[in-house]
Amino acid sequence: SSDLARSAWWLLVVMASYGRPVTAAGYWEIDRGTSTMARGGANIAAPTDPTALYLNPAALVGVAGLQVMVDANIAIDRRSFDRADGTIEGEPFAFRRVENGWRSTPSPGIFATYNLSNWGLQPLTFGAGVYGPTRVHRHWPQNGPQRYSQIKHEPIQMHAVFGGAYELPWLGLRFGATGMFTQQRVRTSLGRSE
């Protein structure tokens, strides 16, 4: 019995010494809400704000009272492309560097949640929201040397979401569900690289 305990102890020590780094990420380049940003995108386990609507609907029960969250995020995309120099009809040719010419614009969002504790229904919460992921577009020169011959890429999404959550009176077991309508428009222009 003590040999088994000693072996288990050493196995635990060895396993703990070979730990791997833990990383986390959200759904997009930049997620919604300051608590998600503060946690490095790892807010799925216990969101405490209306972003629980899309991160973890069962966590809506933990959002107190009426909460309204209005936010916007923005990505400044300074992407550039340097094509390797080459030859055209046997003559050396140098390509110029091209930059993404898209000007950043904010991506707004609004969320609202309400816990029905004022009506004696503490374990029941509803919420709704409208938002879009961070807009990251690409505008390249018409005759530039960019890869994949892409001139413009403009994806725009809008998500409308409605959800609810209920906590069972025993064991703190929570259930949540979210319905989402997504509208997406993608405009892409391609051209022949020279």
Side-chain angles (χ1 to χ4, degrees):
S1 146
S2 67
D3 287 339
L4 181 61
R6 188 177 304 127
S7 296
W9 171 252
W10 281 110
L11 179 63
L12 182 64
V13 168
V14 169
M15 287 172 55
S17 65
Y18 287 104
R20 297 180 52 132
V22 176
T23 58
Y27 290 121
W28 299 296
E29 287 94 352
I30 301 174
D31 249 323
R32 310 304 303 193
T34 55
S35 60
T36 302
M37 294 300 292
R39 293 178 176 181
N43 201 27
I44 291 174
T48 57
D49 59 29
T51 59
L53 273 166
Y54 79 90
L55 291 172
N56 180 354
L60 283 171
V61 174
V63 179
L66 172 66
Q67 289 194 23
V68 176
M69 184 180 99
V70 178
D71 78 341
N73 57 32
I74 190 167
I76 299 172
D77 186 353
R78 299 185 192 248
R79 194 177 313 214
S80 63
F81 180 77
D82 287 313
R83 183 172 173 178
D85 296 339
T87 59
I88 295 179
E89 297 178 5
E91 296 294 319
F93 187 83
F95 294 95
R96 73 186 197 289
R97 178 184 190 151
V98 292
E99 307 278 337
N100 182 7
W102 177 69
R103 292 189 177 170
S104 302
T105 56
S107 177
I110 183 167
F111 300 88
T113 57
Y114 184 65
N115 182 286
L116 300 175
S117 58
N118 287 345
W119 296 1
L121 298 170
Q122 174 70 29
L124 186 60
T125 303
F126 291 103
V130 177
Y131 65 97
T134 305
R135 296 175 64 187
V136 181
H137 297 211
R138 291 180 290 283
H139 288 190
W140 300 103
Q142 176 87 24
N143 295 317
Q146 63 270 9
R147 193 172 179 192
Y148 303 122
S149 304
Q150 188 179 74
I151 297 169
K152 283 188 180 179
H153 180 68
E154 299 175 343
I156 296 176
Q157 290 183 22
M158 187 271 306
H159 303 277
V161 61
F162 178 78
Y166 182 76
E167 183 173 0
L168 295 174
W170 60 90
L171 300 175
L173 189 60
R174 295 176 174 182
F175 291 95
T178 295
M180 183 180 296
F181 171 77
T182 300
Q183 174 87 24
Q184 180 168 348
R185 182 190 72 185
V186 178
R187 285 193 282 182
T188 299
S189 300
L190 302 175
R192 186 175 66 90
S193 293
E194 296 180 17

